[in-house]
Amino acid sequence: MVGLIHRFDADTSIKPSTGAVVGLASENGSWGVMAIEMARLARDTWRARGAVGYMDLKYDFYGVGVDAGEAGVSVPLNQTVFLASGALLRHVVSGLYVGGQILWLKTTVSLQDSVGPIQPEVPNQAQTELFAGGLQAEFDTRDDDYWPQHGSLAQLKGNFFTTAAGQSGSFQRYQAAWSWYHGFRGPRLVLATNLLFCGAPGDAPFYGLCSLGAGRFSVRGYTQGRYRDHYTTAVQGELRAHNAGRLGATAFGGFAQVGPELSEIFSSEVLPFGGLGLRYQLARNYPMHLRLDYAWGRDDGLLYFSVGEAF
């Protein structure tokens, strides 16, 4: 990752913008590259976000539903993804921003190996091109983007997809998230909490469903995509400690649920998680951190190495 914390305004009281180019390579043959920008313009009157990238991913598909995730039987897939997205939000009243988003995605999915009789059925998604327009709103009172000490961030997103090819038809995808921050000793000790809801009604392809371990605000401790369905919820909290220098540590935990219908989500199986992490501040003037976490889920433990906080 190569990142740049920068400003479009000379006024240093306005929080900065962030841009990055990210590359990935894995021992299983997966690779990808993505460029992102989160810009604040005209004294934070406008917030513009953009992303473009290509990924060639090899991963295990476990099926759809909590029962498929618990069974732990998977089939190896190879998926290529070429995507581009942009969003523009305008400041309306104190802390509130409203705007729209467009997204284009072209993807191919194929089996790495033959599927046995006890493997989960893989939907026919040989090649699909998706377009989406959407609406976004966020209420942001955080004092800092990277290591907030107080305030909150609430986000609401709705995307409406159509497809030009492939088996699945039109569907919608909604996400609502709320994070709250409280510093007990300034930046030295901070409590962060997060509530997350995701819904994907309609004829969504399996990679368009809601899943644990994927996307912003994602829970840790579960293999990405092992638990996926039309609806997910998650509750998590994290205690963040920091010394006077560049080092920090965290302890986190929570639980999540997945379900095929909104009416069933809160009666579905509870999936707990927890873990510990270390932090190293990358920039001297901004609390952007390198993150190393180990999380335990219901099935196993996973190690995370990334930049920036989970929420």
Side-chain angles (χ1 to χ4, degrees):
M1 174 179 176
V2 177
L4 179 66
I5 299 173
H6 60 102
R7 295 183 180 277
F8 290 99
D9 291 295
D11 187 353
T12 58
S13 66
I14 304 298
K15 288 187 285 188
S17 302
T18 306
V21 176
V22 182
L24 71 90
S26 170
E27 63 181 357
N28 73 352
S30 297
W31 68 275
V33 62
M34 180 173 289
I36 59 174
E37 171 65 28
M38 295 177 287
R40 286 182 165 87
L41 307 170
R43 297 182 56 83
D44 206 15
T45 301
W46 296 91
R47 292 186 175 183
R49 284 94 183 249
V52 60
Y54 177 83
M55 291 167 284
D56 187 342
L57 306 174
K58 294 177 173 61
Y59 61 91
D60 293 328
F61 174 70
Y62 292 85
V64 176
V66 67
D67 291 339
E70 290 178 336
V73 179
S74 63
V75 59
L77 296 183
N78 186 188
Q79 181 173 11
T80 63
V81 180
F82 185 24
L83 66 86
S85 70
L88 184 65
L89 289 80
R90 193 186 195 286
H91 181 250
V92 179
V93 295
S94 180
L96 179 63
Y97 297 80
V98 178
Q101 174 180 311
I102 56 172
L103 183 147
W104 171 80
L105 182 149
K106 186 174 184 179
T107 182
T108 61
V109 179
S110 60
L111 293 170
Q112 294 185 46
D113 301 303
S114 60
V115 180
I118 63 171
Q119 303 283 10
E121 180 182 356
V122 179
N124 179 20
Q125 295 291 337
Q127 183 172 348
T128 307
E129 189 171 2
L130 293 172
F131 301 88
L135 300 174
Q136 291 190 22
E138 66 181 39
F139 183 70
D140 186 2
T141 62
R142 298 170 299 167
D143 63 319
D144 189 87
D145 286 355
Y146 311 122
W147 188 273
Q149 301 174 42
H150 59 79
S152 65
L153 173 65
Q155 290 189 329
L156 181 63
K157 298 180 181 181
N159 288 305
F160 307 92
F161 287 87
T162 60
T163 180
Q167 181 187 39
S168 295
S170 300
F171 68 99
Q172 307 88 47
R173 200 171 194 277
Y174 305 99
Q175 179 175 293
W178 177 63
S179 299
W180 174 80
Y181 308 92
H182 178 72
F184 294 99
R185 297 170 55 193
R188 299 291 185 89
L189 187 64
V190 177
L191 175 65
T193 60
N194 175 258
L195 303 176
L196 176 66
F197 167 81
C198 175
D203 190 17
F206 73 89
Y207 49 81
L209 297 175
C210 305
S211 65
L212 302 190
R216 191 178 182 186
F217 312 114
S218 63
V219 304
R220 287 156 284 181
Y222 289 91
T223 299
Q224 181 173 324
R226 177 164 179 172
Y227 292 89
R228 74 172 82 219
D229 217 321
H230 287 273
Y231 296 92
T232 65
T233 61
V235 178
Q236 55 185 323
E238 183 169 276
L239 191 62
R240 302 171 179 174
H242 209 286
N243 67 7
R246 295 196 175 195
L247 297 180
T250 65
F252 55 88
F255 65 90
Q257 294 172 286
V258 303
E261 300 289 343
L262 182 59
S263 60
E264 300 178 23
I265 187 67
F266 296 110
S267 60
S268 64
E269 194 75 26
V270 174
L271 303 171
F273 64 92
L276 301 170
L278 297 175
R279 300 291 184 270
Y280 178 77
Q281 186 171 327
L282 293 171
R284 179 177 299 175
N285 296 325
Y286 300 99
M288 170 73 80
H289 288 83
L290 192 67
R291 171 162 61 98
L292 181 66
D293 291 334
Y294 191 85
W296 298 268
R298 180 173 177 175
D299 307 301
D300 49 24
L302 294 171
L303 185 68
Y304 297 82
F305 182 65
S306 185
V307 175
E309 302 307 312
F311 60 88

